[in-house]
Amino acid sequence: MKFIVIGITDNPNPWFPPEVIEIIRQGRVFSGGKRHHEIVASLLPADAQWIDITVPLDDVFAQYMSLRSTFRSLSCLRQASPFGMPSGTFRSKTSDIIVFASGDPLFFGFANTIKRKMPEAEIVVYPTFNSLQMLAHRLVMPYHDMRVVSLTGRPWPEFDRALIERAEKIGVLTDKEHTPAAIAQRMLDYGYTDYTMYVGEHLGNPELEKVTTLSLEEATQRNFAMPNCVILDAVSHQTSVIRHPFGIPETAFALLDGREKMITKMPIRLLTLQALDLPKRHILWDIGFCTGSVSIEALLQFPHLRIEAFEIRPECEAIIHENARKFGAPGINVHMGDFLKEDISLLPRPDAVFIGGHGGKLKEIMKKVLTVLADDGIIVFNSVVAPKVLTDSRKLWDEACEELGLKQDAPIHIQLNDNHPITILKCRR
């Protein structure tokens, strides 16, 4: 099966080179979004068949697959018949499906979806400028150094990562949920305020096209026509969020009941991140996050991570959100309640787990973690040696590792000033 994917803009009177016009003229099966159909309908042959690209995409590709079966049957008839094809049947080029897509179909576009879902298909692409290119052209803004993020049908993590990594110029593809106003509000919530926002609406449409320059505060108060896209440009090429050193002082965090002993001290936190081996990990679970210091430090230093944070004490929910906003750490997924009662079956499998609190149920927590831990995953736990601690956490850890068949790495022993000694423990399958 062959797909010919043609890029178009929002111009209601599109221009195509002669080669593409001929492809359209000879085509019989076409596909695209409803907006694409409105733009190209007058160019299609009278007997054209149109397949709407709508979600769920599995239904769309089921129609493509059905056509493939039809094409194969017709090919067999053509080869078997000495008189050629009966009149009224598809012509020789009808095995091509002609798809209209926005901009460059390989730029977060539908050609990529075809490659993923039908890797055996032949694909020919006729691109045009994508929306972010057109917005940069309207602004006469060089875009070779632009960090591009798609929020079209996608969640926030890659956008959050661009902010945390202090990208100076960010191009954003939007959708009805991730609007320019929602993007601006998220940036303000987490302190990324030193950006100018440029919004392009209906780019390529000579009657509806509009380009607007706004502050983030102004953008939160506006509604923008779809389709649109955004370019964010750092005003001074340094965001207003202070880049913290490797290690945030514990005194800088909002604390649980003001108790400094309820937070992982900065040097211990850094040793813990080292033990978790985060540069090559992808999914971190922080069980018993309390103030969120480990999750926040991990995300700021390793923004490629997806972090799932768990805590049983309800008062900690407001604390982690306060700290995340204070330090510019968006995107930590917070789960409140008893971890042992939490349904973790639909969460991404962790390859790094830190157990910051266990309530005397360390064995049970480790056993549950093992049901989802990635094959190369690791578990890290900090054991406190304190006279008033009723449960010997090191003993629980050793027993759990033995019962569950886990291999322990060499422990790290450390004591800070007059604080109780701590042993950083690590195990793997």
mmCIF file of all heavy atoms in Angstrom, residues 169-210:
data_model
loop_
_atom_site.group_PDB
_atom_site.id
_atom_site.type_symbol
_atom_site.label_atom_id
_atom_site.label_comp_id
_atom_site.label_asym_id
_atom_site.label_seq_id
_atom_site.Cartn_x
_atom_site.Cartn_y
_atom_site.Cartn_z
ATOM 1 N N LYS A 169 14.356 29.785 23.531
ATOM 2 C CA LYS A 169 13.321 29.986 22.507
ATOM 3 C C LYS A 169 12.588 28.654 22.344
ATOM 4 O O LYS A 169 13.199 27.641 22.014
ATOM 5 C CB LYS A 169 13.945 30.434 21.194
ATOM 6 C CG LYS A 169 12.971 30.876 20.124
ATOM 7 C CD LYS A 169 13.712 31.229 18.847
ATOM 8 C CE LYS A 169 14.660 32.389 19.054
ATOM 9 N NZ LYS A 169 15.442 32.692 17.824
ATOM 10 N N ILE A 170 11.270 28.668 22.577
ATOM 11 C CA ILE A 170 10.498 27.432 22.563
ATOM 12 C C ILE A 170 9.326 27.596 21.595
ATOM 13 O O ILE A 170 8.517 28.518 21.723
ATOM 14 C CB ILE A 170 9.943 27.084 23.966
ATOM 15 C CG1 ILE A 170 11.055 27.109 25.020
ATOM 16 C CG2 ILE A 170 9.265 25.715 23.947
ATOM 17 C CD1 ILE A 170 10.545 26.956 26.451
ATOM 18 N N GLY A 171 9.228 26.710 20.617
ATOM 19 C CA GLY A 171 8.076 26.668 19.729
ATOM 20 C C GLY A 171 7.117 25.596 20.201
ATOM 21 O O GLY A 171 7.528 24.475 20.482
ATOM 22 N N VAL A 172 5.835 25.941 20.300
ATOM 23 C CA VAL A 172 4.855 25.029 20.888
ATOM 24 C C VAL A 172 3.676 24.827 19.941
ATOM 25 O O VAL A 172 3.038 25.800 19.515
ATOM 26 C CB VAL A 172 4.329 25.552 22.246
ATOM 27 C CG1 VAL A 172 3.472 24.489 22.918
ATOM 28 C CG2 VAL A 172 5.475 25.974 23.150
ATOM 29 N N LEU A 173 3.401 23.570 19.628
ATOM 30 C CA LEU A 173 2.193 23.211 18.891
ATOM 31 C C LEU A 173 1.098 22.950 19.915
ATOM 32 O O LEU A 173 1.281 22.179 20.859
ATOM 33 C CB LEU A 173 2.440 21.974 18.030
ATOM 34 C CG LEU A 173 3.560 22.106 16.992
ATOM 35 C CD1 LEU A 173 3.774 20.782 16.269
ATOM 36 C CD2 LEU A 173 3.245 23.208 15.988
ATOM 37 N N THR A 174 -0.048 23.573 19.743
ATOM 38 C CA THR A 174 -1.099 23.598 20.755
ATOM 39 C C THR A 174 -2.270 22.703 20.365
ATOM 40 O O THR A 174 -2.325 22.146 19.268
ATOM 41 C CB THR A 174 -1.610 25.028 20.952
ATOM 42 O OG1 THR A 174 -2.216 25.468 19.716
ATOM 43 C CG2 THR A 174 -0.478 25.976 21.309
ATOM 44 N N ASP A 175 -3.230 22.586 21.292
ATOM 45 C CA ASP A 175 -4.518 21.969 20.976
ATOM 46 C C ASP A 175 -5.590 22.650 21.831
ATOM 47 O O ASP A 175 -5.319 23.666 22.484
ATOM 48 C CB ASP A 175 -4.494 20.443 21.161
ATOM 49 C CG ASP A 175 -4.252 19.999 22.593
ATOM 50 O OD1 ASP A 175 -4.363 20.829 23.520
ATOM 51 O OD2 ASP A 175 -3.946 18.815 22.803
ATOM 52 N N LYS A 176 -6.794 22.096 21.873
ATOM 53 C CA LYS A 176 -7.896 22.749 22.572
ATOM 54 C C LYS A 176 -7.722 22.733 24.084
ATOM 55 O O LYS A 176 -8.342 23.537 24.793
ATOM 56 C CB LYS A 176 -9.216 22.075 22.189
ATOM 57 C CG LYS A 176 -9.612 22.289 20.739
ATOM 58 C CD LYS A 176 -10.934 21.634 20.405
ATOM 59 C CE LYS A 176 -11.312 21.870 18.951
ATOM 60 N NZ LYS A 176 -12.600 21.212 18.596
ATOM 61 N N GLU A 177 -6.905 21.829 24.599
ATOM 62 C CA GLU A 177 -6.626 21.784 26.035
ATOM 63 C C GLU A 177 -5.379 22.591 26.383
ATOM 64 O O GLU A 177 -5.368 23.365 27.345
ATOM 65 C CB GLU A 177 -6.437 20.337 26.493
ATOM 66 C CG GLU A 177 -6.109 20.204 27.970
ATOM 67 C CD GLU A 177 -5.883 18.758 28.387
ATOM 68 O OE1 GLU A 177 -6.136 17.846 27.573
ATOM 69 O OE2 GLU A 177 -5.436 18.543 29.539
ATOM 70 N N HIS A 178 -4.338 22.418 25.602
ATOM 71 C CA HIS A 178 -3.077 23.131 25.844
ATOM 72 C C HIS A 178 -3.077 24.407 25.019
ATOM 73 O O HIS A 178 -2.352 24.537 24.024
ATOM 74 C CB HIS A 178 -1.895 22.234 25.491
ATOM 75 C CG HIS A 178 -1.885 20.926 26.220
ATOM 76 N ND1 HIS A 178 -2.483 19.796 25.712
ATOM 77 C CD2 HIS A 178 -1.376 20.574 27.432
ATOM 78 C CE1 HIS A 178 -2.325 18.796 26.571
ATOM 79 N NE2 HIS A 178 -1.655 19.240 27.617
ATOM 80 N N THR A 179 -3.896 25.344 25.423
ATOM 81 C CA THR A 179 -4.065 26.606 24.714
ATOM 82 C C THR A 179 -2.949 27.578 25.095
ATOM 83 O O THR A 179 -2.235 27.377 26.085
ATOM 84 C CB THR A 179 -5.412 27.236 25.081
ATOM 85 O OG1 THR A 179 -5.394 27.546 26.498
ATOM 86 C CG2 THR A 179 -6.561 26.285 24.788
ATOM 87 N N PRO A 180 -2.785 28.664 24.334
ATOM 88 C CA PRO A 180 -1.810 29.673 24.762
ATOM 89 C C PRO A 180 -2.070 30.180 26.175
ATOM 90 O O PRO A 180 -1.125 30.401 26.942
ATOM 91 C CB PRO A 180 -1.996 30.781 23.714
ATOM 92 C CG PRO A 180 -2.450 30.052 22.485
ATOM 93 C CD PRO A 180 -3.343 28.955 22.995
ATOM 94 N N ALA A 181 -3.344 30.346 26.540
ATOM 95 C CA ALA A 181 -3.663 30.810 27.896
ATOM 96 C C ALA A 181 -3.249 29.789 28.946
ATOM 97 O O ALA A 181 -2.697 30.144 30.000
ATOM 98 C CB ALA A 181 -5.163 31.096 28.007
ATOM 99 N N ALA A 182 -3.491 28.495 28.691
ATOM 100 C CA ALA A 182 -3.108 27.445 29.640
ATOM 101 C C ALA A 182 -1.589 27.349 29.751
ATOM 102 O O ALA A 182 -1.042 27.136 30.842
ATOM 103 C CB ALA A 182 -3.697 26.104 29.202
ATOM 104 N N ILE A 183 -0.898 27.508 28.631
ATOM 105 C CA ILE A 183 0.570 27.472 28.638
ATOM 106 C C ILE A 183 1.116 28.629 29.472
ATOM 107 O O ILE A 183 2.003 28.452 30.317
ATOM 108 C CB ILE A 183 1.099 27.534 27.192
ATOM 109 C CG1 ILE A 183 0.763 26.237 26.450
ATOM 110 C CG2 ILE A 183 2.604 27.797 27.173
ATOM 111 C CD1 ILE A 183 0.954 26.331 24.950
ATOM 112 N N ALA A 184 0.588 29.820 29.245
ATOM 113 C CA ALA A 184 1.040 30.996 29.985
ATOM 114 C C ALA A 184 0.784 30.833 31.481
ATOM 115 O O ALA A 184 1.641 31.187 32.310
ATOM 116 C CB ALA A 184 0.347 32.249 29.458
ATOM 117 N N GLN A 185 -0.384 30.300 31.844
ATOM 118 C CA GLN A 185 -0.708 30.129 33.261
ATOM 119 C C GLN A 185 0.231 29.130 33.925
ATOM 120 O O GLN A 185 0.670 29.337 35.065
ATOM 121 C CB GLN A 185 -2.153 29.664 33.421
ATOM 122 C CG GLN A 185 -2.636 29.666 34.870
ATOM 123 C CD GLN A 185 -2.620 31.064 35.465
ATOM 124 O OE1 GLN A 185 -3.276 31.972 34.972
ATOM 125 N NE2 GLN A 185 -1.830 31.245 36.523
ATOM 126 N N ARG A 186 0.567 28.064 33.241
ATOM 127 C CA ARG A 186 1.489 27.075 33.803
ATOM 128 C C ARG A 186 2.871 27.696 34.032
ATOM 129 O O ARG A 186 3.523 27.448 35.054
ATOM 130 C CB ARG A 186 1.607 25.872 32.860
ATOM 131 C CG ARG A 186 2.369 24.673 33.468
ATOM 132 C CD ARG A 186 2.275 23.477 32.549
ATOM 133 N NE ARG A 186 2.884 22.280 33.114
ATOM 134 C CZ ARG A 186 2.288 21.420 33.925
ATOM 135 N NH1 ARG A 186 1.043 21.658 34.306
ATOM 136 N NH2 ARG A 186 2.914 20.339 34.379
ATOM 137 N N MET A 187 3.318 28.512 33.100
ATOM 138 C CA MET A 187 4.609 29.158 33.243
ATOM 139 C C MET A 187 4.618 30.119 34.434
ATOM 140 O O MET A 187 5.583 30.170 35.204
ATOM 141 C CB MET A 187 4.962 29.890 31.949
ATOM 142 C CG MET A 187 5.135 28.951 30.761
ATOM 143 S SD MET A 187 5.389 29.820 29.203
ATOM 144 C CE MET A 187 7.055 30.449 29.449
ATOM 145 N N LEU A 188 3.533 30.863 34.604
ATOM 146 C CA LEU A 188 3.449 31.790 35.732
ATOM 147 C C LEU A 188 3.386 31.032 37.057
ATOM 148 O O LEU A 188 3.995 31.449 38.047
ATOM 149 C CB LEU A 188 2.215 32.683 35.573
ATOM 150 C CG LEU A 188 2.255 33.693 34.419
ATOM 151 C CD1 LEU A 188 0.913 34.376 34.271
ATOM 152 C CD2 LEU A 188 3.358 34.722 34.640
ATOM 153 N N ASP A 189 2.645 29.926 37.068
ATOM 154 C CA ASP A 189 2.509 29.148 38.304
ATOM 155 C C ASP A 189 3.856 28.667 38.824
ATOM 156 O O ASP A 189 4.059 28.582 40.042
ATOM 157 C CB ASP A 189 1.596 27.942 38.069
ATOM 158 C CG ASP A 189 0.133 28.318 37.959
ATOM 159 O OD1 ASP A 189 -0.212 29.460 38.332
ATOM 160 O OD2 ASP A 189 -0.664 27.476 37.493
ATOM 161 N N TYR A 190 4.760 28.329 37.908
ATOM 162 C CA TYR A 190 6.045 27.758 38.314
ATOM 163 C C TYR A 190 7.211 28.743 38.185
ATOM 164 O O TYR A 190 8.374 28.350 38.253
ATOM 165 C CB TYR A 190 6.320 26.479 37.519
ATOM 166 C CG TYR A 190 5.408 25.349 37.951
ATOM 167 C CD1 TYR A 190 4.222 25.098 37.287
ATOM 168 C CD2 TYR A 190 5.731 24.567 39.053
ATOM 169 C CE1 TYR A 190 3.363 24.083 37.705
ATOM 170 C CE2 TYR A 190 4.894 23.544 39.474
ATOM 171 C CZ TYR A 190 3.706 23.315 38.794
ATOM 172 O OH TYR A 190 2.876 22.308 39.224
ATOM 173 N N GLY A 191 6.885 30.013 37.996
ATOM 174 C CA GLY A 191 7.922 31.040 38.070
ATOM 175 C C GLY A 191 8.708 31.299 36.806
ATOM 176 O O GLY A 191 9.703 32.025 36.837
ATOM 177 N N TYR A 192 8.281 30.759 35.679
ATOM 178 C CA TYR A 192 8.999 30.992 34.415
ATOM 179 C C TYR A 192 8.381 32.205 33.731
ATOM 180 O O TYR A 192 7.654 32.082 32.735
ATOM 181 C CB TYR A 192 8.943 29.741 33.551
ATOM 182 C CG TYR A 192 9.689 28.585 34.172
ATOM 183 C CD1 TYR A 192 9.030 27.668 34.985
ATOM 184 C CD2 TYR A 192 11.057 28.424 33.982
ATOM 185 C CE1 TYR A 192 9.715 26.613 35.577
ATOM 186 C CE2 TYR A 192 11.751 27.379 34.570
ATOM 187 C CZ TYR A 192 11.068 26.479 35.366
ATOM 188 O OH TYR A 192 11.759 25.446 35.961
ATOM 189 N N THR A 193 8.648 33.374 34.271
ATOM 190 C CA THR A 193 7.924 34.580 33.894
ATOM 191 C C THR A 193 8.622 35.434 32.844
ATOM 192 O O THR A 193 7.990 36.301 32.235
ATOM 193 C CB THR A 193 7.675 35.448 35.138
ATOM 194 O OG1 THR A 193 8.950 35.773 35.738
ATOM 195 C CG2 THR A 193 6.842 34.689 36.162
ATOM 196 N N ASP A 194 9.904 35.225 32.637
ATOM 197 C CA ASP A 194 10.672 36.139 31.801
ATOM 198 C C ASP A 194 10.664 35.717 30.331
ATOM 199 O O ASP A 194 11.714 35.533 29.712
ATOM 200 C CB ASP A 194 12.109 36.225 32.317
ATOM 201 C CG ASP A 194 12.840 37.454 31.786
ATOM 202 O OD1 ASP A 194 12.169 38.330 31.219
ATOM 203 O OD2 ASP A 194 14.069 37.526 31.928
ATOM 204 N N TYR A 195 9.467 35.532 29.789
ATOM 205 C CA TYR A 195 9.299 35.171 28.380
ATOM 206 C C TYR A 195 8.268 36.091 27.740
ATOM 207 O O TYR A 195 7.305 36.515 28.388
ATOM 208 C CB TYR A 195 8.785 33.735 28.228
ATOM 209 C CG TYR A 195 9.823 32.646 28.390
ATOM 210 C CD1 TYR A 195 10.101 32.104 29.645
ATOM 211 C CD2 TYR A 195 10.503 32.138 27.288
ATOM 212 C CE1 TYR A 195 11.035 31.085 29.796
ATOM 213 C CE2 TYR A 195 11.438 31.108 27.429
ATOM 214 C CZ TYR A 195 11.699 30.596 28.692
ATOM 215 O OH TYR A 195 12.614 29.580 28.837
ATOM 216 N N THR A 196 8.467 36.361 26.467
ATOM 217 C CA THR A 196 7.433 36.983 25.641
ATOM 218 C C THR A 196 6.762 35.882 24.831
ATOM 219 O O THR A 196 7.429 34.974 24.326
ATOM 220 C CB THR A 196 8.038 38.026 24.686
ATOM 221 O OG1 THR A 196 8.630 39.080 25.454
ATOM 222 C CG2 THR A 196 6.974 38.615 23.767
ATOM 223 N N MET A 197 5.433 35.961 24.719
ATOM 224 C CA MET A 197 4.685 34.957 23.959
ATOM 225 C C MET A 197 4.206 35.550 22.639
ATOM 226 O O MET A 197 3.628 36.640 22.602
ATOM 227 C CB MET A 197 3.479 34.452 24.767
ATOM 228 C CG MET A 197 2.597 33.471 23.999
ATOM 229 S SD MET A 197 1.198 32.810 24.965
ATOM 230 C CE MET A 197 2.033 31.557 25.933
ATOM 231 N N TYR A 198 4.459 34.813 21.559
ATOM 232 C CA TYR A 198 3.948 35.163 20.230
ATOM 233 C C TYR A 198 2.957 34.087 19.813
ATOM 234 O O TYR A 198 3.280 32.897 19.859
ATOM 235 C CB TYR A 198 5.082 35.247 19.213
ATOM 236 C CG TYR A 198 6.168 36.238 19.584
ATOM 237 C CD1 TYR A 198 7.316 35.817 20.260
ATOM 238 C CD2 TYR A 198 6.057 37.583 19.251
ATOM 239 C CE1 TYR A 198 8.319 36.713 20.602
ATOM 240 C CE2 TYR A 198 7.059 38.492 19.590
ATOM 241 C CZ TYR A 198 8.182 38.045 20.275
ATOM 242 O OH TYR A 198 9.167 38.936 20.612
ATOM 243 N N VAL A 199 1.770 34.486 19.412
ATOM 244 C CA VAL A 199 0.724 33.541 19.026
ATOM 245 C C VAL A 199 0.343 33.773 17.571
ATOM 246 O O VAL A 199 0.054 34.910 17.171
ATOM 247 C CB VAL A 199 -0.526 33.683 19.919
ATOM 248 C CG1 VAL A 199 -1.587 32.652 19.524
ATOM 249 C CG2 VAL A 199 -0.160 33.527 21.396
ATOM 250 N N GLY A 200 0.354 32.703 16.793
ATOM 251 C CA GLY A 200 -0.091 32.771 15.399
ATOM 252 C C GLY A 200 -1.383 32.003 15.226
ATOM 253 O O GLY A 200 -1.459 30.836 15.591
ATOM 254 N N GLU A 201 -2.415 32.661 14.689
ATOM 255 C CA GLU A 201 -3.717 32.030 14.475
ATOM 256 C C GLU A 201 -4.006 31.932 12.975
ATOM 257 O O GLU A 201 -3.730 32.863 12.222
ATOM 258 C CB GLU A 201 -4.824 32.846 15.147
ATOM 259 C CG GLU A 201 -4.626 33.084 16.641
ATOM 260 C CD GLU A 201 -5.546 34.175 17.167
ATOM 261 O OE1 GLU A 201 -6.748 33.896 17.327
ATOM 262 O OE2 GLU A 201 -5.045 35.298 17.412
ATOM 263 N N HIS A 202 -4.543 30.792 12.562
ATOM 264 C CA HIS A 202 -4.950 30.581 11.156
ATOM 265 C C HIS A 202 -3.832 30.975 10.189
ATOM 266 O O HIS A 202 -4.076 31.638 9.172
ATOM 267 C CB HIS A 202 -6.218 31.377 10.833
ATOM 268 C CG HIS A 202 -7.473 30.820 11.440
ATOM 269 N ND1 HIS A 202 -7.999 29.608 11.065
ATOM 270 C CD2 HIS A 202 -8.278 31.314 12.404
ATOM 271 C CE1 HIS A 202 -9.101 29.385 11.760
ATOM 272 N NE2 HIS A 202 -9.283 30.385 12.599
ATOM 273 N N LEU A 203 -2.619 30.551 10.492
ATOM 274 C CA LEU A 203 -1.491 30.937 9.651
ATOM 275 C C LEU A 203 -1.644 30.366 8.241
ATOM 276 O O LEU A 203 -1.940 29.187 8.070
ATOM 277 C CB LEU A 203 -0.188 30.462 10.291
ATOM 278 C CG LEU A 203 0.161 31.159 11.608
ATOM 279 C CD1 LEU A 203 1.321 30.455 12.293
ATOM 280 C CD2 LEU A 203 0.488 32.631 11.376
ATOM 281 N N GLY A 204 -1.456 31.207 7.261
ATOM 282 C CA GLY A 204 -1.626 30.811 5.862
ATOM 283 C C GLY A 204 -2.959 31.218 5.281
ATOM 284 O O GLY A 204 -3.138 31.189 4.060
ATOM 285 N N ASN A 205 -3.894 31.603 6.132
ATOM 286 C CA ASN A 205 -5.209 32.051 5.662
ATOM 287 C C ASN A 205 -5.184 33.573 5.536
ATOM 288 O O ASN A 205 -5.107 34.276 6.550
ATOM 289 C CB ASN A 205 -6.296 31.619 6.652
ATOM 290 C CG ASN A 205 -7.701 31.894 6.142
ATOM 291 O OD1 ASN A 205 -7.967 32.946 5.570
ATOM 292 N ND2 ASN A 205 -8.602 30.948 6.365
ATOM 293 N N PRO A 206 -5.239 34.105 4.326
ATOM 294 C CA PRO A 206 -5.066 35.559 4.148
ATOM 295 C C PRO A 206 -6.154 36.388 4.813
ATOM 296 O O PRO A 206 -5.934 37.560 5.124
ATOM 297 C CB PRO A 206 -5.084 35.737 2.618
ATOM 298 C CG PRO A 206 -5.780 34.521 2.100
ATOM 299 C CD PRO A 206 -5.442 33.409 3.046
ATOM 300 N N GLU A 207 -7.327 35.801 5.057
ATOM 301 C CA GLU A 207 -8.419 36.559 5.662
ATOM 302 C C GLU A 207 -8.428 36.458 7.183
ATOM 303 O O GLU A 207 -8.819 37.409 7.879
ATOM 304 C CB GLU A 207 -9.760 36.062 5.107
ATOM 305 C CG GLU A 207 -9.928 36.307 3.613
ATOM 306 C CD GLU A 207 -11.282 35.823 3.113
ATOM 307 O OE1 GLU A 207 -12.075 35.313 3.933
ATOM 308 O OE2 GLU A 207 -11.540 35.947 1.905
ATOM 309 N N LEU A 208 -8.003 35.305 7.748
ATOM 310 C CA LEU A 208 -8.127 35.071 9.184
ATOM 311 C C LEU A 208 -6.810 35.105 9.931
ATOM 312 O O LEU A 208 -6.798 35.143 11.170
ATOM 313 C CB LEU A 208 -8.817 33.719 9.441
ATOM 314 C CG LEU A 208 -10.218 33.543 8.867
ATOM 315 C CD1 LEU A 208 -10.720 32.129 9.149
ATOM 316 C CD2 LEU A 208 -11.178 34.580 9.440
ATOM 317 N N GLU A 209 -5.697 35.096 9.204
ATOM 318 C CA GLU A 209 -4.404 35.024 9.875
ATOM 319 C C GLU A 209 -4.192 36.211 10.812
ATOM 320 O O GLU A 209 -4.511 37.355 10.496
ATOM 321 C CB GLU A 209 -3.277 34.981 8.844
ATOM 322 C CG GLU A 209 -1.896 34.916 9.470
ATOM 323 C CD GLU A 209 -0.794 34.796 8.438
ATOM 324 O OE1 GLU A 209 -0.723 33.735 7.794
ATOM 325 O OE2 GLU A 209 -0.020 35.765 8.266
ATOM 326 N N LYS A 210 -3.631 35.895 12.003
ATOM 327 C CA LYS A 210 -3.374 36.933 12.997
ATOM 328 C C LYS A 210 -2.157 36.542 13.823
ATOM 329 O O LYS A 210 -2.028 35.398 14.242
ATOM 330 C CB LYS A 210 -4.597 37.107 13.909
ATOM 331 C CG LYS A 210 -4.486 38.231 14.921
ATOM 332 C CD LYS A 210 -5.775 38.340 15.734
ATOM 333 C CE LYS A 210 -5.684 39.483 16.745
ATOM 334 N NZ LYS A 210 -6.938 39.569 17.574
#
